């Protein structure tokens, strides 16, 4: 347990407490789940991995390319985005990370996945699950309540469903 989980103001108060009470405060804080917050989508994504495009066995760190960062910025600035894009740009992985970040950091968020067919839509759910399973902060995330090919839901009321 470290004291880095306290704000500077809390550290001032803690420093005035007797050692026994200080230890109790640290233990209590360590057991309480702190709200998740990330400065940006690329920061959230940098803590996880993606599957290698060449094979599904190899995983690699999720590092946003400059164009993916532009898409991430647009997602946070606009409520409706229409994009004509080519394949293999990493946009799908970015959108999966965006949906996962929303579902994990806010309660009762629902993401719907539409694709050419049910198999393709289910593939998106698999990607979101992969990001969740490989994230460094996973221990702090809401627990999975429902997990099947077309649905992934969390105990904070959020979830994603493929259609």
């Amino acid at each position: 347990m470290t004291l880095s989980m306290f704000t500077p103001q809390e550290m001032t108060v803690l420093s005035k407490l007797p050692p026994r009470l200080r230890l109790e405060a640290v233990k209590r804080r360590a057991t309480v789940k702190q709200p998740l917050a990330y400065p940006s989508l690329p920061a959230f994504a940098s803590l996880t991995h993606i599957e290698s495009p060449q094979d599904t066995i190899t995983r690699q760190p999720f590092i946003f390319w400059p164009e993916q960062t532009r898409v991430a910025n647009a997602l946070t600035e606009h409520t409706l985005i229409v994009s004509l894009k080519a394949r293999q740009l990493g946009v799908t992985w970015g959108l999966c990370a965006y949906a996962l970040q929303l579902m994990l950091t806010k309660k009762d968020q629902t993401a719907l996945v539409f694709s050419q067919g049910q198999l393709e839509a289910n593939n998106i759910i698999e990607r979101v699950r992969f990001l969740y399973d490989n994230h460094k902060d996973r221990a702090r995330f809401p627990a999975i309540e429902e997990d099947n090919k077309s649905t992934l839901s969390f105990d904070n009321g959020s979830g994603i469903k493929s259609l």
Side-chain angles (χ1 to χ4, degrees), residues 48-72:
T48 190
H49 289 81
I50 59 174
E51 290 177 313
S52 172
Q54 288 75 29
D55 64 81
T56 57
I57 297 170
T58 307
R59 61 183 202 136
Q60 59 192 36
F62 194 169
I63 300 168
F64 266 52
W65 299 328
E67 288 304 312
Q68 287 172 306
T69 302
R70 284 185 58 214
V71 172

Side-chain angles (χ1 to χ4, degrees), residues 23-37:
L23 180 61
E24 189 176 311
V26 171
K27 285 181 180 177
R28 186 175 299 130
R29 176 62 60 91
T31 60
V32 174
K33 280 192 174 181
Q34 298 300 311
L36 294 169

Side-chain angles (χ1 to χ4, degrees), residues 66-119:
E67 288 304 312
Q68 287 172 306
T69 302
R70 284 185 58 214
V71 172
N73 292 337
L75 289 170
T76 58
E77 293 171 11
H78 305 288
T79 56
L80 178 64
I81 299 171
V82 178
S83 174
L84 178 62
K85 67 165 206 65
R87 295 175 40 89
Q88 305 300 320
L89 298 177
V91 173
T92 302
W93 278 109
L95 291 173
C96 289
Y98 177 71
L100 183 62
Q101 181 185 16
L102 279 180
M103 291 183 293
L104 298 177
T105 58
K106 297 181 180 179
K107 293 181 178 183
D108 301 320
Q109 297 294 305
T110 302
L112 298 176
V113 177
F114 299 90
S115 194
Q116 294 175 0
Q118 189 65 45
L119 292 175

Side-chain angles (χ1 to χ4, degrees), residues 90-160:
V91 173
T92 302
W93 278 109
L95 291 173
C96 289
Y98 177 71
L100 183 62
Q101 181 185 16
L102 279 180
M103 291 183 293
L104 298 177
T105 58
K106 297 181 180 179
K107 293 181 178 183
D108 301 320
Q109 297 294 305
T110 302
L112 298 176
V113 177
F114 299 90
S115 194
Q116 294 175 0
Q118 189 65 45
L119 292 175
E120 292 85 0
N122 290 348
N123 182 285
I124 303 301
I125 303 295
E126 289 175 24
R127 289 185 188 204
V128 172
R129 188 178 303 106
F130 187 89
L131 292 172
Y132 176 90
D133 289 341
N134 290 281
H135 203 283
K136 290 179 183 174
D137 283 346
R138 183 173 174 202
R140 297 177 53 208
F141 288 167
I144 293 177
E145 248 182 15
E146 184 179 358
D147 183 6
N148 59 51
K149 288 189 181 286
S150 63
T151 304
L152 183 64
S153 61
F154 302 96
D155 65 2
N156 67 352
S158 294
I160 185 168

